[in-house]
Amino acid sequence: MNDIVLKFHITKDKQPALIQSMQHENVEHTHIHSNYFDNDNYDLSQQDVSLKQQCTHHMWMQTLYLPTAHQLLCTQFQMPLDSTQPKKIDVKQYQSHKKINPIAKNQLKELLRALKIQFEADYTRYSSMFKINKTKIRVLVDVGFFKI
């Protein structure tokens, strides 16, 4: 199976029509809140590293995204958290993770200092599966806001 992601910004005047087109019997609605972290110099972003805490279905998950040799791919490491919003980032587990190579671990030590929320996302995701010929296409529409 191939997972190809295409992202589009839909202008506010076109959003109602798009959401209306998603209103059929197999559409799912999910509320999602995400906090994205970096330091004041945006060192994570400059190294193509991303760290977020996300709440979906009343459960928080912390995810670290690391770049790979292939420009369009990344490796992600997820850590389930509590049902209450975390008060801080837990970075210790990444230092002992077996699948993170030693060079990346050393870089992470420096990058994961003085992290704070740099932006938040709060949105509803509309999800639906369409079948075209013998292909399944999952369409996701996110409606909400980003706060910087």
Side-chain angles (χ1 to χ4, degrees):
M1 177 180 88
N2 291 326
D3 191 15
I4 299 170
V5 177
L6 303 173
K7 294 185 179 188
F8 303 94
H9 173 77
I10 309 299
T11 58
K12 199 147 190 81
D13 62 313
K14 303 289 185 199
Q15 289 177 8
L18 179 62
I19 292 170
Q20 180 65 32
S21 72
M22 293 283 294
Q23 300 302 321
H24 49 85
E25 65 278 350
N26 69 342
V27 69
E28 293 179 25
H29 302 146
T30 305
H31 179 257
I32 300 172
H33 183 91
S34 302
N35 295 323
Y36 294 82
F37 293 83
D38 209 332
N39 58 29
D40 287 334
N41 296 325
Y42 294 94
D43 291 329
L44 292 181
S45 178
Q46 291 176 35
Q47 298 295 320
D48 295 323
V49 173
S50 179
L51 182 62
K52 75 175 178 180
Q53 290 177 336
Q54 184 174 61
C55 183
T56 307
H57 302 293
H58 307 288
M59 286 303 299
W60 284 88
M61 179 78 67
Q62 182 172 296
T63 307
L64 174 68
Y65 299 90
L66 295 175
T68 65
H70 190 283
Q71 188 177 5
L72 298 177
L73 298 176
C74 69
T75 303
Q76 62 179 335
F77 301 93
Q78 293 187 322
M79 178 176 72
L81 303 171
D82 243 345
S83 59
T84 57
Q85 184 169 357
K87 299 199 184 320
K88 62 179 185 158
I89 286 284
D90 179 8
V91 296
K92 292 179 211 144
Q93 65 123 1
Y94 302 121
Q95 295 303 317
S96 60
H97 201 291
K98 294 174 184 171
K99 293 186 178 180
I100 300 177
N101 74 48
I103 295 170
K105 284 181 186 178
N106 286 336
Q107 290 174 331
L108 280 174
K109 251 187 237 182
E110 295 301 316
L111 292 175
L112 296 177
R113 292 178 194 231
L115 295 175
K116 65 181 186 180
I117 296 173
Q118 293 296 349
F119 67 93
E120 294 179 58
D122 194 32
Y123 54 95
T124 299
R125 173 166 285 164
Y126 299 86
S127 175
S128 187
M129 188 70 74
F130 294 91
K131 292 181 183 174
I132 299 173
N133 297 327
K134 294 181 180 181
T135 303
K136 290 181 183 178
I137 299 174
R138 184 172 56 140
V139 176
L140 305 173
V141 177
D142 295 340
V143 178
F145 71 90
F146 282 96
K147 184 170 111 179
I148 298 174

